Amino acid sequence: MSRTLGVLISGRGSNLQVILDAIDEGRLDAYVAIVISNKNDAPGLERARKAGATTAVLSHEDYDSREAFDEAVLGRLSEHDVEVVCLAGFMRILSPVLVRAFPNRILNIHPSLLPAFVGLHAQKQAVEHGVKVSGCTVHLVDEELDHGPILLQQTVPVLEDDTEETLSARILEQEHKLYTEAIRLVLDGKVRVDGRRAIIET
Amino acid sequence: MSRTLGVLISGRGSNLQVILDAIDEGRLDAYVAIVISNKNDAPGLERARKAGATTAVLSHEDYDSREAFDEAVLGRLSEHDVEVVCLAGFMRILSPVLVRAFPNRILNIHPSLLPAFVGLHAQKQAVEHGVKVSGCTVHLVDEELDHGPILLQQTVPVLEDDTEETLSARILEQEHKLYTEAIRLVLDGKVRVDGRRAIIET
């Protein structure tokens, strides 16, 4: 693999920063070829520019269908020879156009122990449900929300006095480590997928 | 509290044995006043008798409604001055008759990190879903399956070559410790319930 990454964002892109930092500090041997945002005011675009990464804004509102938007994204990713796509707070469900173009090479990180607490505000869901342990999950992306084969999971305790904010902060620390590790495993060809199970070859 | 327990079983009652052993070994200051099974051939009945516990069989088939069955169970529990009810593989959803008679004093243990993998064969569900971590949960029982406020959770890794059997065995080791600890917390009055959150007072 050429180890080129494409990163898709919609907002502040804190996990984009994680990837950029890991590369900068030599902990991840990869290259961010392009950062694409579907929102032109995403603060993550500025992070990308500061790190010298190429950026593009493709607003989904400019396209008639999910597929047409995904075709445009795919075009940009292909122009930059992207091998692995990392979602970093990208608020769109992918269509088969993108999923099939990158089989088992699109990653997402979610701030819960999936399949618990799918969707938005996973940390708030966890606090309100009263779980005693939560965490984060890196998974391969399929056409369902927060659903594809799970690569890595890290547990985080939920404390009696946790709020959404304090739990989010504790989980975020672990997200940083976990996403870097998962991207490395995919780039190194250590992931085999069998049905909905991702097997890590060690 | 008089620290008297009632245990409800439907099958082999491996978690009944855990409770009996913990009491026998002095790790749990409690007394099993009655073990009730809704199946007359439940192997757990023999465990109870060996430990000298009083047993009763109440077949749900002998009652016209869930409520009528629960009234009969409640009658037996009351006769024995039961303070806390422990489900140990009891395959019935409780009606309000029992739930309201023992507010926040009915416990269940489930072999997953709830709310993930509710219902039967939770360990098989976990293996097939491809999670990297599972575990067990002790929760207070309400009128929904595997649903009430969570008292304690313990994580267990899921290994690449795990089967339902190997994962079940690894979780069961933790179930033993967790159930004893949770029963102790309830008997000691250390549990406060706020909405669907159970707060452990330390």
Side-chain angles (χ1 to χ4, degrees):
Chain A
M1 284 200 181
S2 59
R3 307 185 77 91
T4 52
L5 306 178
V7 183
L8 307 188
I9 66 173
S10 296
R12 64 203 168 93
S14 65
N15 275 306
L16 164 64
Q17 193 66 56
V18 166
I19 296 166
L20 293 169
D21 288 349
I23 293 171
D24 190 49
E25 293 161 15
R27 290 178 287 109
L28 179 63
D29 175 21
Y31 169 67
V32 176
I34 185 164
V35 175
I36 301 175
S37 172
N38 68 319
K39 302 256 187 187
N40 62 17
D41 59 351
L45 288 167
E46 184 56 27
R47 293 183 198 262
R49 288 185 203 111
K50 272 191 188 152
T54 300
T55 61
V57 175
L58 293 172
S59 172
H60 58 274
E61 292 173 357
D62 295 340
Y63 298 85
D64 289 338
S65 67
R66 191 176 296 275
E67 288 71 22
F69 172 73
D70 281 7
E71 287 284 3
V73 172
L74 178 56
R76 293 303 182 93
L77 295 171
S78 301
E79 276 171 27
H80 289 271
D81 293 322
V82 165
E83 298 265 356
V84 170
V85 179
C86 301
L87 308 190
F90 187 61
M91 305 292 279
R92 304 270 305 163
I93 293 181
L94 304 191
S95 75
V97 168
L98 272 173
V99 172
R100 290 179 193 164
F102 292 93
N104 298 326
R105 287 186 289 124
I106 308 178
L107 281 72
N108 186 39
I109 185 158
H110 183 79
S112 77
L113 294 177
L114 290 173
F117 311 126
V118 164
L120 287 176
H121 307 300
Q123 304 95 331
K124 184 163 183 266
Q125 291 182 56
V127 168
E128 289 179 352
H129 195 86
V131 291
K132 302 300 184 186
V133 60
S134 189
C136 46
T137 300
V138 182
H139 64 94
L140 298 171
V141 174
D142 64 12
E143 292 141 45
E144 283 182 59
L145 181 66
D146 302 328
H147 178 267
I150 291 167
L151 293 178
L152 298 173
Q153 294 186 301
Q154 175 63 49
T155 62
V156 169
V158 181
L159 307 183
E160 300 292 10
D161 57 354
D162 260 335
T163 61
E164 179 183 5
E165 289 68 32
T166 57
L167 178 61
S168 296
R170 195 174 313 114
I171 292 175
L172 190 62
E173 277 180 47
Q174 299 302 321
E175 285 181 60
H176 292 181
K177 297 175 202 165
L178 206 69
Y179 212 8
T180 305
E181 188 183 344
I183 294 167
R184 191 185 300 118
L185 287 168
V186 171
L187 287 172
D188 289 350
K190 303 277 196 191
V191 176
R192 187 165 59 80
V193 175
D194 177 16
R196 69 153 289 120
R197 294 178 65 182
I199 293 132
I200 310 294
E201 288 164 358
T202 46
Chain B
M1 283 200 182
S2 59
R3 306 186 77 93
T4 52
L5 306 178
V7 183
L8 307 189
I9 66 172
S10 296
R12 64 202 168 93
S14 65
N15 275 308
L16 164 64
Q17 192 65 57
V18 165
I19 295 166
L20 293 168
D21 288 349
I23 293 170
D24 190 49
E25 294 161 15
R27 290 178 287 109
L28 179 64
D29 175 20
Y31 169 68
V32 175
I34 186 164
V35 174
I36 301 174
S37 173
N38 68 320
K39 303 255 188 189
N40 63 16
D41 59 353
L45 288 167
E46 184 55 27
R47 294 184 197 261
R49 288 185 203 111
K50 272 191 186 152
T54 300
T55 61
V57 175
L58 293 173
S59 173
H60 57 273
E61 292 172 358
D62 295 340
Y63 297 86
D64 289 338
S65 67
R66 190 177 297 275
E67 288 71 21
F69 172 72
D70 281 6
E71 287 283 3
V73 171
L74 178 56
R76 293 302 183 95
L77 294 172
S78 301
E79 276 171 27
H80 290 270
D81 293 322
V82 164
E83 298 266 354
V84 170
V85 180
C86 302
L87 308 191
F90 186 62
M91 305 293 278
R92 305 268 307 163
I93 293 181
L94 304 192
S95 76
V97 168
L98 272 173
V99 172
R100 291 179 194 165
F102 292 92
N104 299 326
R105 286 186 289 123
I106 308 179
L107 281 70
N108 186 39
I109 185 160
H110 183 78
S112 76
L113 293 177
L114 289 173
F117 311 127
V118 164
L120 286 176
H121 308 300
Q123 304 95 332
K124 183 162 182 267
Q125 291 183 55
V127 168
E128 290 180 351
H129 195 85
V131 291
K132 302 301 183 184
V133 60
S134 189
C136 46
T137 301
V138 182
H139 64 94
L140 297 172
V141 174
D142 64 12
E143 291 141 46
E144 282 182 59
L145 181 66
D146 302 329
H147 178 267
I150 292 167
L151 292 178
L152 297 173
Q153 294 187 298
Q154 175 62 49
T155 62
V156 169
V158 181
L159 307 183
E160 299 291 11
D161 57 354
D162 260 335
T163 62
E164 179 183 4
E165 289 69 31
T166 57
L167 178 60
S168 297
R170 195 174 312 113
I171 292 175
L172 191 62
E173 278 180 46
Q174 300 302 322
E175 285 181 60
H176 294 180
K177 296 174 203 168
L178 207 69
Y179 212 7
T180 304
E181 187 182 345
I183 294 166
R184 191 185 301 121
L185 287 169
V186 172
L187 288 173
D188 289 350
K190 303 276 196 192
V191 176
R192 184 165 60 81
V193 175
D194 176 17
R196 68 151 291 120
R197 294 178 65 181
I199 293 133
I200 310 293
E201 286 164 2
T202 46

